[in-house]
Amino acid sequence: MFKWRKQGKLFDPRDYKDLTWLDEYAQAPATLLFDDFVRVYFSCRPKRDANGQFVSYSAYVDLDRKDLSCIVALAKEPILSLGKKGCFDEFGTYPVSILRMKDEIWAYYAGWTRCVSVPFNVGIGLAKSTDDGKTFKRLGDGPILPYSSDEPFTISGPKIRHFNDTYYLFYVAGNAWLEIEGRAEISHRIRMATSKDGIIWTKHNQDLIPNAWDEHESQASPDVFYANGTYHMFFCGWVPKNFRDTKNRKIGYASSKDLIHWTRDDTKAGIDISDQEDDFDNEMVAYPHVFALDGKTYMLYLGNSVGRYGFGLAELEGELA
Amino acid sequence: MRWKKQGQLFDFTTSPFTRRYVSHAQSPQALILADRVRIYFSTRTNDAPGKFLSHVQYVDYDLELKAIIGYSDHEVIALGKLGCFDEHGIFPLSPTPVKDKVYAYTNGISRRVSVAVETGIGFAVSSDDGKTFEKRGQGPLVSATTYEPFLVGDAFVRFFAGRFHMFYLFGKKWSEETVEHTSERVYKIGHAISDDGITWQKSGLAIISDKIDENECQALPTVLQIGARYHMYFCYRHMAGFRNEKGKGYRLGYAYSDDLVHWTRDDENAGIDLSDDGWDSEMMCYPNIFTCRDSVYLLYNGNDFGRNGFGIAKLISE
C-alpha cells in the first residue's frame, strides 16, 4: 500500500468574497508547473440561478513552488467563457486538464448542456492559450470528442497525457441513465482515446477498469502518472444508488505496463477519509490528481461534498512503484 | 430538369395509421425491393400536451407506384433509451441497400432546455428487407464535432464512384430569442465520405450556396446520378417565420455536380415548384429521389410539413 501524508486543505473558495463566478466548489484540481509557482486549475460555481441550477467555470490558483501551502495568485476571471446557445458547453466547463504544446497551453475540458428527460449531457472540448494559461480560446464551438455509437452520452472528466510520442486522453463515458427513486442518475466508466496530434482522436471503445463496488458503479477522475516503469492510475468512484450520500465516494487504484491492460487493486491506494471531526475530508476523498515536483510526489484531492469547500494536498512517502 | 406532378400519393388521414398515430407522414424515403417500393416516413404520437414523438413506419406500393399493397403494423425501429440521442424521435430514416442488408441512417432527436432539440445521425441494419432495423450501438454514428457544433442529421447515403458518400445537415447557429421569434436554428448541407459506410470523414464545408441570405436553412439532401452528372434536391427556407408567413416556408432547391464535391446551385432549373393551389401550394419539403423500372420519381411533403401525407412527381426529361 502507498502511504500518503496529508498536508491539509490548500484552497477554500469561501475565502474569496467578491467574485461573482466563484462562490463555492473548487473541483478536479490539475497542475501546470512554472519556474516559481505551481498553477492549479480547478472548477468552481457561482451561486445557484433563479431556477436553482448551477453553472460551472474553471479557473486557477498559483501556489509557491517552494511552499505549496502559500497562495501567490488567483485567476482574475474564469479561463474560458461558457459556450454559445445550443452548444455542448453552454452551461458548464468542468473539469479541465492542461498540457503544454510548444508555445501554447491546451486545455481539454468537459462541456455541459441541459436536457429534458435527464439532467445533463457532457462532451469534451479543446481550448488553447497563448498567455501562459491565463485565458483560453476554443478551437471551435463543438466537441473534439463527441458522443458515438458505443459511448452514447456524458463524455466527461478528461485527463490529457503524453507518453511515448502519443497523446492519451483518459475520460469517462456514460453507459446508462439509471432511474433511482424518481431521479435519473448516471453510470459512467473510465475509457481512453489516443492521438498523434491531440486533435484527431481514436477511441479505444473499451472500459479500462473493471467494476469492484457495484455493477452500476460510476468511475471518475482517471489520473494517470508514470513512475518506475509502471503507469499508475488513481481514480474515484461511487455507487449511483448511493450517489446522494456524499460519504460514498472513494479513491481507487490500478496499474498498467501498456496503458491498455489495467490491474485494479484499490487496497494499494493508500488514502482515505480523515477520522478527525473538524477535518475538511472526514466524509470524502475524491477526484485525485498526482504530480511530481522537485523530487517529491504529491496528490491533490477533494474533500467533503465533492470539493465544495476546497481541495487538499498529500505527499507520498517514497515513490510509486 | 422537368418533372410532372402526380399529386398526393399517400393520405395519412384515411390510412390505418390513424389508429396508432395522431398525424403526419413526413420525409418519405423509398427502398426498392423485388416486388414493391417500401416508403418509410415519420409519424407522430403525443407524449405530453404540445409534445410529440416521431416514429418510423412504412407503406408498400406496387412497382408502378399506383396501389398500396402493404403497411407496417409493428415497430420498425425503436426510439432510444433514457438520455440517448434518439430518445424523442427518429425523423427521417434513410435506407440504402448494401449486399443482402439494408443500412439505415437515422436522424435522432432529443430534447434540450435552452433550445428545442439536439440531433445526431444513427446507424441501424436490417436483415429482413427493411421490415425491422437493429441499431448498432446506443449512440450516434455521426454527431456534433468541433466545427459542426450541433444539429447533425438528415443523412442521405449512396455508393458513388467507388465510395460511400453522405450528404447531411449540420447546425450553424441558434438565434437569440426575440419578442417575435423563439430561438431558431440555422443549418447547412455537408458532405462526408467513407469506405465502409460506418467510419466517416467530414469535409467540414457547407457545399450548397445560399439563395436567401446567410441565415437560409437547407435540409434533407437527396442525390441521383444520371450519366456522369449528380443531381441534388433539398429543401430550404427562411430562418424565422417559416411556419406560417407566406413566402418564408420550405421550397425545393436544386444543385448539380460532376465530382460530388463542388456543387452549382441552380434552382431555376429545378423543374418543379409550388402549385397555384392545393396540397403543395404553400410549401414543398423533404424530397427523396429514386429510380424504379427505369422511371425517376420524386417524393416530397407539401403544406404544413406533411401533416396529411406526401406526394410524388415523375421525371419527364433531364
Side-chain angles (χ1 to χ4, degrees):
Chain A
M1 182 166 64
F2 303 118
K3 197 160 179 200
W4 297 93
R5 246 189 344 254
K6 289 184 178 177
Q7 314 272 301
K9 183 157 67 175
L10 281 191
F11 178 75
D12 188 331
R14 295 172 300 176
D15 293 341
Y16 301 86
K17 296 297 180 199
D18 303 322
L19 302 172
T20 55
W21 50 272
L22 172 65
D23 181 48
E24 292 183 319
Y25 294 91
Q27 300 183 292
T31 51
L32 182 66
L33 305 186
F34 289 83
D35 289 345
D36 299 326
F37 58 90
V38 176
R39 180 157 288 168
V40 182
Y41 292 87
F42 62 88
S43 298
C44 59
R45 305 179 190 180
K47 290 187 191 302
R48 290 176 191 269
D49 66 18
N51 298 321
Q53 293 200 282
F54 283 120
V55 297
S56 63
Y57 291 104
S58 288
Y60 61 83
V61 58
D62 291 339
L63 309 177
D64 187 340
R65 183 163 180 152
K66 297 279 191 298
D67 177 5
L68 294 176
S69 68
C70 179
I71 291 173
V72 296
L74 178 70
K76 291 187 171 56
E77 58 186 357
I79 60 169
L80 185 66
S81 59
L82 295 179
K84 292 178 189 165
K85 190 172 191 65
C87 288
F88 77 106
D89 54 354
E90 184 179 357
F91 295 104
T93 54
Y94 151 68
V96 295
S97 183
I98 305 287
L99 191 69
R100 283 185 198 281
M101 297 285 264
K102 296 181 182 158
D103 294 339
E104 297 179 327
I105 294 169
W106 290 16
Y108 294 81
Y109 68 97
W112 295 64
T113 186
R114 294 177 184 163
C115 303
V116 172
S117 63
V118 294
F120 53 79
N121 206 346
V122 194
I124 293 174
L126 172 61
K128 299 180 177 184
S129 171
T130 53
D131 61 358
D132 275 346
K134 291 191 187 74
T135 58
F136 288 82
K137 281 199 168 58
R138 288 171 174 74
L139 189 65
D141 289 331
I144 196 162
L145 201 74
Y147 330 123
S148 53
S149 297
D150 293 324
E151 297 180 351
F153 38 66
T154 63
I155 314 298
S156 183
K159 300 260 190 181
I160 180 73
R161 297 290 184 269
H162 189 225
F163 299 122
N164 312 318
D165 288 331
T166 299
Y167 294 97
Y168 288 84
L169 196 58
F170 299 91
Y171 59 97
V172 298
N175 56 65
W177 279 99
L178 309 171
E179 294 178 270
I180 297 171
E181 293 172 9
R183 314 177 71 121
E185 302 284 8
I186 186 68
S187 170
H188 46 60
R189 302 280 298 278
I190 292 169
R191 297 214 161 191
M192 179 179 80
T194 56
S195 172
K196 286 297 175 190
D197 61 4
I199 293 177
I200 297 169
W201 291 91
T202 303
K203 288 182 173 182
H204 182 54
N205 278 328
Q206 299 286 329
D207 292 328
L208 291 191
I209 307 296
N211 285 335
W213 300 315
D214 186 89
E215 62 170 326
H216 295 305
E217 75 180 43
S218 259
Q219 304 166 347
S221 194
D223 198 83
V224 177
F225 184 87
Y226 178 77
N228 294 312
T230 298
Y231 297 96
H232 305 267
M233 183 193 291
F234 290 84
F235 57 95
C236 72
W238 64 89
V239 175
K241 64 175 181 264
N242 302 330
F243 180 46
R244 299 293 147 182
D245 177 359
T246 63
K247 294 171 192 176
N248 258 290
R249 293 202 188 201
K250 331 176 217 196
I251 288 181
Y253 171 81
S255 61
S256 174
K257 294 293 185 189
D258 62 5
L259 293 158
I260 293 170
H261 303 90
W262 292 84
T263 304
R264 181 170 181 169
D265 185 0
D266 293 355
T267 64
K268 290 186 75 174
I271 186 162
D272 209 337
I273 58 171
S274 161
D275 57 8
Q276 301 296 306
E277 195 175 328
D278 296 331
D279 280 352
F280 86 110
D281 58 350
N282 63 4
E283 293 183 349
M284 182 190 290
V285 288
Y287 290 83
H289 170 59
V290 174
F291 65 104
L293 181 70
D294 302 330
K296 293 178 177 172
T297 304
Y298 295 96
M299 180 191 289
L300 292 166
Y301 65 96
L302 303 184
N304 299 350
S305 298
V306 210
R308 185 170 182 179
Y309 313 114
F311 56 80
L313 181 73
E315 182 184 331
L316 185 73
E317 288 187 5
E319 295 181 346
L320 292 174
Chain B
M1 309 287 272
R2 271 186 65 211
W3 296 89
K4 180 171 172 43
K5 288 185 179 180
Q6 301 189 317
Q8 187 168 357
L9 180 67
F10 177 72
D11 182 350
F12 174 86
T13 61
T14 58
S15 77
F17 294 104
T18 55
R19 289 200 290 270
R20 291 184 292 145
Y21 301 98
V22 296
S23 61
H24 290 81
Q26 294 182 284
S27 200
Q29 302 259 342
L31 174 68
I32 316 305
L33 298 171
D35 62 341
R36 62 191 62 206
V37 178
R38 180 155 286 167
I39 301 179
Y40 299 91
F41 58 87
S42 289
T43 184
R44 295 182 178 184
T45 56
N46 286 115
D47 66 327
K51 295 281 184 188
F52 64 87
L53 303 170
S54 285
H55 304 267
V56 174
Q57 291 289 301
Y58 62 73
V59 54
D60 289 341
Y61 284 86
D62 71 330
L63 292 171
E64 299 299 322
L65 280 301
K66 298 294 184 199
I68 291 174
I69 58 173
Y71 296 95
S72 55
D73 57 359
H74 58 280
E75 183 181 75
V76 176
I77 185 169
L79 299 189
K81 292 180 186 168
L82 183 65
C84 287
F85 78 106
D86 54 354
E87 181 183 0
H88 297 122
I90 296 178
F91 163 31
L93 175 147
S94 186
T96 192
V98 177
K99 294 179 186 157
D100 61 336
K101 309 286 188 193
V102 181
Y103 285 7
Y105 297 86
T106 65
N107 182 50
I109 299 167
S110 64
R111 295 172 186 160
R112 289 290 186 270
V113 170
S114 71
V115 294
V117 295
E118 171 63 336
T119 65
I121 296 170
F123 179 59
V125 176
S126 173
S127 304
D128 58 4
D129 281 344
K131 285 193 189 69
T132 59
F133 289 87
E134 188 177 338
K135 294 181 195 178
R136 295 289 169 90
Q138 289 188 65
L141 184 72
V142 182
S143 65
T145 47
T146 305
Y147 302 108
E148 297 181 356
F150 38 67
L151 295 172
V152 172
D154 281 10
F156 178 88
V157 174
R158 288 292 181 270
F159 192 79
F160 289 136
R163 304 185 84 173
F164 287 95
H165 292 259
M166 176 187 283
F167 301 92
Y168 65 101
L169 173 158
F170 65 94
K172 290 284 280 187
K173 77 172 178 188
W174 279 98
S175 70
E176 293 299 327
E177 282 117 342
T178 64
V179 176
E180 291 173 330
H181 296 297
T182 58
S183 180
E184 300 289 8
R185 61 201 95 166
V186 174
Y187 40 80
K188 306 296 181 187
I189 291 169
H191 177 220
I193 53 176
S194 171
D195 288 325
D196 59 6
I198 294 171
T199 302
W200 291 93
Q201 183 72 44
K202 294 177 176 176
S203 79
L205 301 171
I207 59 173
I208 302 298
S209 58
D210 293 322
K211 181 176 175 183
I212 301 170
D213 59 23
E214 64 173 10
N215 286 335
E216 172 178 302
C217 297
Q218 305 164 344
L220 240 300
T222 179
V223 177
L224 179 77
Q225 181 179 9
I226 302 177
R229 177 149 286 189
Y230 299 95
H231 303 269
M232 179 190 292
Y233 282 78
F234 53 95
C235 53
Y236 70 99
R237 61 168 172 79
H238 287 252
M239 178 184 79
F242 61 93
R243 293 180 186 85
N244 42 33
E245 289 180 39
K246 196 168 172 56
K248 293 193 172 179
Y250 272 125
R251 296 174 68 171
L252 297 188
Y254 167 72
Y256 62 86
S257 171
D258 293 331
D259 63 4
L260 295 159
V261 174
H262 302 90
W263 292 85
T264 302
R265 185 161 182 175
D266 188 14
D267 289 10
E268 287 66 32
N269 286 313
I272 190 165
D273 205 345
L274 299 175
S275 296
D276 291 335
D277 49 51
W279 76 282
D280 61 352
S281 58
E282 295 162 14
M283 184 186 291
M284 292 173 76
C285 54
Y286 312 139
N288 180 247
I289 304 179
F290 65 97
T291 303
C292 183
R293 288 196 166 171
D294 297 327
S295 292
V296 176
Y297 296 95
L298 171 65
L299 296 168
Y300 62 99
N301 285 116
N303 301 347
D304 209 4
F305 306 94
R307 168 176 287 274
N308 294 334
F310 53 83
I312 190 166
K314 192 171 182 177
L315 189 68
I316 302 303
S317 67
E318 217 183 308

